């Protein structure tokens, strides 16, 4: 398993490429603002885009979907069903999807198994994606912080419940958030005030 990342758009959204090096396929996680750059990045490294996975449907995470879908029309696009409501998801009309996933679902990218954790709080349909020793947390868990809960569909109590769930996962994971720097789950358990508050509940 190989992970690449690039920052896209004015808000510096992290777009990730979860790659099976033997099968030469990858999943794109949150294509950000520029789908053509995402498609070119994967092609230059010899990976076919097998799936597009969304942690949630806010505009800064889905803005590149139309161009990416045009570049790789055969790749399914997954989002949680609760984030398909335009009145709540702040996609500004940029959301495109072909499939929905729910808590406990699992997908494969080549030989890599990706498990879906529903982690509402930032949005009703926010998810985290777990693959081997990596967890892609979208705007749920950041290094030293958590996502905003004051948008439509947000909930601070929901966020704390989701953070508690992440904190109680067994073992350690590399944490790849939707913005800013990567971290580890153990580091966040020790130092992140929001995660610590959640786990104390």
């Amino acid at each position: 398993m190989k992970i690449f990342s690039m920052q896209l758009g004015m808000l510096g959204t992290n777009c990730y490429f979860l790659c099976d090096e033997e099968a030469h396929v990858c999943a794109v996680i949150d294509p950000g603002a520029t789908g053509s750059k995402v498609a070119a990045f994967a092609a230059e490294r010899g990976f076919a885009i097998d799936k597009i996975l969304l942690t949630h449907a806010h505009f800064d995470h889905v803005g590149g979907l139309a161009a990416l879908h045009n570049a790789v029309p055969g790749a399914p696009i997954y989002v949680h069903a609760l984030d398909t409501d335009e009145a709540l998801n702040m996609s500004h009309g940029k959301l495109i999807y072909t499939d929905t996933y729910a808590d406990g679902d699992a997908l494969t990218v080549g030989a890599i198994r990706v498990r879906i954790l529903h982690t509402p709080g930032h949005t009703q349909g926010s998810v985290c994606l777990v693959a081997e020793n990596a967890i892609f947390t979208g705007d749920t868990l950041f290094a030293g912080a958590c996502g905003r809960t004051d948008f439509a569909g947000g909930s601070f109590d929901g966020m704390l419940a989701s953070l508690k769930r992440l904190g109680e996962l067994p073992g350690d994971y590399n944490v790849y958030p939707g913005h800013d720097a990567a971290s580890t789950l153990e580091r966040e358990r020790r130092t992140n005030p929001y995660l610590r508050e959640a786990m104390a509940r």
Side-chain angles (χ1 to χ4, degrees), residues 108-187:
T108 56
V109 180
I112 304 168
R113 183 174 183 269
V114 182
R115 183 163 51 103
I116 312 304
L117 300 181
H118 182 209
T119 53
H122 183 63
T123 68
Q124 291 185 353
S126 287
V127 301
C128 293
L129 307 170
V130 181
E132 297 182 7
N133 68 336
I135 182 165
F136 301 89
T137 57
D139 286 6
T140 298
L141 177 64
F142 298 136
C146 69
R148 291 177 59 170
T149 61
D150 57 335
F151 297 129
S155 166
F156 187 66
D157 285 341
M159 176 64 78
L160 290 181
S162 293
L163 291 175
K164 182 179 178 68
R165 183 181 188 190
L166 294 179
E168 291 179 345
L169 291 173
D172 196 10
Y173 289 87
N174 293 315
V175 172
Y176 297 97
H179 300 274
D180 301 321
S183 185
T184 68
L185 190 55
E186 184 55 35
R187 183 183 304 148

